[in-house]
Amino acid sequence: MISKTAFVRTAIPVLLIVLLATTFVLGRRSRRTDAGLSIEPIVAIHPADVDRIRIDARFSRPEAAPIILFRVPEWDGWAVQLDGATVPGRASRVEDFFGRILSTRAQRIVTREPAHHAALYVSGATADSVLLEDAEQATLVHLLFGLPGRDRGSLYMRLGGERTVYAVDPAPSFFLTRESEYWADTRVFPAPIDIDRVEFVQYGDTHAFVREYRDGQDVWHDGAARVDAARVHGKLRALFGLQADTVRRAYPFVGDPIVVRLDDRREYVVTYSGIDESAISVMVRGPRLYETGTSEAFVYTVPRDNFLDATPLGEQRSR
């Protein structure tokens, strides 16, 4: 049998090991008590409250100009300043930005000492800055992002005006490295248009495709001649799917017109003019198409081949 003295000698080291292991586990848990916790100033914001976003990537892109996004009610969407001009913003990317930024959660607290801010690149002078403002340009929240965590699975972040530095999910770093072009909407038609709703499309004075429905069939005519519906649909898909290489604000120009009329009598008027052998300049006027009531318009530069695919002129290339 084991004596009491031997039992005590054996039990004490075991108890010490258990105690040390428990302390270590609890210590790790205590350091992670903030893991996944919401940061109240961020959670309190709803995307509808934000009217202006300023992204100043001083750490990620030191030489880049700030990116400024703002709502434009007349356009029913967002705008971005690009190359000194104001152009439509890509709404889906702004929504994605909100989804990532406003879901930021703390993995842990890194420090509460302001003396460490500069070394972690979360100071006001060195951090990547994301500023969200309301319609009166009052600050809703100011986020300062710095170095990635040592585990590369986190990003150091501080709220402007506060001392605490958090380690958060690194997802926001994706937006901090984007150029202004990422936010610009380069689609000539900003929303999908149902081809089945088009009843008339006219290309200058040369072609006028008119739709009729006969016995449930889709019938198109160009004057007295019947036109293959697949041919017209192909032109419309190419037209509605045009992507611009560049977008700028400019005064409306005189050029050749394309008129697209929908079944509710709304019209889109496309004006185009050749630039060179590779590019076409295009302007679009129509319902819900970023019209501000000013004399300016959005002018898109699109590849010539892509544009010719949207017109009967393109058929001459294949002959």
Side-chain angles (χ1 to χ4, degrees):
M1 295 183 65
I2 301 175
S3 66
K4 289 184 178 180
T5 302
F7 175 79
V8 170
R9 288 176 179 174
T10 304
I12 288 177
V14 172
L15 288 174
L16 287 173
I17 292 172
V18 171
L19 181 60
L20 289 172
T22 302
T23 302
F24 176 76
V25 171
L26 291 176
R28 286 179 60 87
R29 288 182 178 177
S30 66
R31 286 195 295 271
R32 292 186 174 269
T33 54
D34 296 298
L37 293 182
S38 59
I39 302 172
E40 287 304 319
I42 300 177
V43 175
I45 296 173
H46 190 275
D49 301 331
V50 181
D51 269 64
R52 185 178 175 89
I53 304 167
R54 180 186 174 100
I55 302 173
D56 195 351
R58 288 183 288 257
F59 174 70
S60 298
R61 298 183 300 121
E63 303 302 322
I67 295 171
I68 299 176
L69 298 156
F70 52 94
R71 290 188 192 272
V72 180
E74 295 89 345
W75 304 349
D76 194 27
W78 288 83
V80 59
Q81 293 181 2
L82 178 63
D83 295 331
T86 300
V87 302
R90 191 178 290 272
S92 61
R93 290 180 174 174
V94 177
E95 292 169 2
D96 188 27
F97 166 82
F98 280 133
R100 301 289 186 90
I101 292 292
L102 299 183
S103 63
T104 298
R105 299 291 185 271
Q107 295 180 4
R108 65 185 184 279
I109 291 176
V110 178
T111 181
R112 289 190 172 95
E113 293 298 327
H116 298 157
H117 290 175
L120 298 176
Y121 282 83
V122 291
S123 69
T126 58
D128 287 337
S129 169
V130 174
L131 184 65
L132 305 183
E133 299 177 333
D134 63 16
E136 284 71 41
Q137 295 192 18
T139 298
L140 297 172
V141 70
H142 187 193
L143 308 176
L144 298 168
F145 297 96
L147 292 175
R150 292 181 179 178
D151 57 0
R152 298 292 170 176
S154 62
L155 184 67
Y156 296 145
M157 188 208 77
R158 181 172 69 90
L159 293 170
E162 297 192 9
R163 301 158 58 98
T164 303
V165 178
Y166 302 96
V168 301
D169 188 277
S173 61
F174 170 83
F175 300 100
L176 301 171
T177 57
R178 300 304 97 182
E179 302 290 343
S180 296
E181 288 81 359
Y182 171 82
W183 303 95
D185 192 344
T186 58
R187 296 171 296 173
V188 174
F189 290 86
I193 299 175
D194 187 356
I195 291 177
D196 290 334
R197 296 189 58 200
V198 178
E199 63 176 23
F200 173 90
V201 55
Q202 181 170 342
Y203 298 89
D205 298 326
T206 58
H207 297 275
F209 297 153
V210 182
R211 173 183 245 148
E212 297 179 5
Y213 293 97
R214 295 181 183 177
D215 300 326
Q217 292 192 1
D218 195 7
V219 179
W220 287 88
H221 289 276
D222 182 4
R226 183 165 175 171
V227 182
D228 182 17
R231 174 191 171 203
V232 180
H233 288 189
K235 301 298 180 190
L236 291 173
R237 279 193 292 270
L239 182 65
F240 297 151
L242 282 174
Q243 291 274 350
D245 292 330
T246 62
V247 187
R248 69 183 190 279
R249 289 297 292 270
Y251 292 106
F253 60 85
V254 176
D256 296 314
I258 300 174
V259 178
V260 179
R261 185 178 304 146
L262 305 183
D263 53 16
D264 58 4
R265 315 307 293 178
R266 293 186 301 167
E267 287 187 347
Y268 293 91
V269 180
V270 181
T271 305
Y272 66 95
S273 179
I275 297 177
D276 54 35
E277 293 183 355
S278 63
I280 296 282
S281 185
V282 176
M283 178 184 66
V284 179
R285 295 289 196 182
R288 300 173 65 84
L289 267 175
Y290 307 138
E291 297 184 18
T292 63
T294 69
S295 58
E296 291 185 315
F298 293 106
V299 178
Y300 304 83
T301 302
V302 302
R304 177 179 286 270
D305 287 347
N306 291 1
F307 183 80
L308 290 180
D309 288 340
T311 71
L313 296 173
E315 297 168 2
Q316 299 174 4
R317 294 180 299 163
S318 59
R319 291 177 182 174

